[in-house]
Amino acid sequence: MGGQPCSAWWLEAAQGRIEATRVERRTGIEGWFDEPATVESLSAAAPSAPPRWKQMVTIFPVFFPLSSAANYVVSQTIADLVLPLRVLISVLVMTPLMTYLFLPWITRKNGVVAAPLVCSRGRLQHP
């Protein structure tokens, strides 16, 4: 069960406190942008990934302003560095911000922030 010592510890520590209703095993970034090759499901129907256009609509309101702000800051602070170095620094700063702060936030707020954009036929279609 688990495979890694840390995973086994977490599972053992949670015994009696949680119920596993679905298990998915993935490798690398499999499943981020496509359906995983295999899914082991203990429940009836696992929720499917939202359509790509809804993912785009959710990400854009965060990505565009943050990217614009980063480009402005880079142009004001390290504009004299060569382009590849400026891009590297920007990506090294932006990737953790997007991954750990802004994308989880916008995903939680999706119903409020992106609701007008993800409506279909007059009904809200939640991703």
Side-chain angles (χ1 to χ4, degrees):
M1 187 185 243
Q4 299 291 330
C6 188
S7 299
W9 180 86
W10 275 105
L11 291 171
E12 185 179 18
Q15 288 294 337
R17 297 181 186 169
I18 62 166
E19 176 185 358
T21 58
R22 188 176 97 204
V23 175
E24 291 186 16
R25 289 185 175 88
R26 299 180 181 189
T27 59
I29 63 170
E30 174 189 20
W32 283 18
F33 305 105
D34 57 1
E35 291 298 318
T38 61
V39 174
E40 177 185 332
S41 182
L42 302 176
S43 64
S48 61
R52 293 202 193 273
W53 71 269
K54 287 185 181 180
Q55 294 175 24
M56 180 195 66
V57 166
T58 301
I59 293 169
F60 184 81
V62 168
F63 183 80
F64 180 72
L66 195 57
S67 179
S68 298
N71 280 297
Y72 176 78
V73 169
V74 164
S75 72
Q76 299 298 311
T77 57
I78 56 175
D80 55 334
L81 295 178
V82 295
L83 180 63
L85 191 54
R86 287 192 317 249
V87 171
L88 176 64
I89 291 169
S90 178
V91 168
L92 288 174
V93 171
M94 298 298 292
T95 301
L97 287 174
M98 291 293 290
T99 303
Y100 296 106
L101 187 63
F102 293 109
L103 289 179
W105 173 79
I106 195 68
T107 302
R108 283 191 306 272
K109 300 293 182 188
N110 187 38
V112 176
V113 175
L117 301 175
V118 294
C119 288
S120 176
R121 297 185 196 141
R123 286 184 18 204
L124 180 62
Q125 301 292 316
H126 291 285

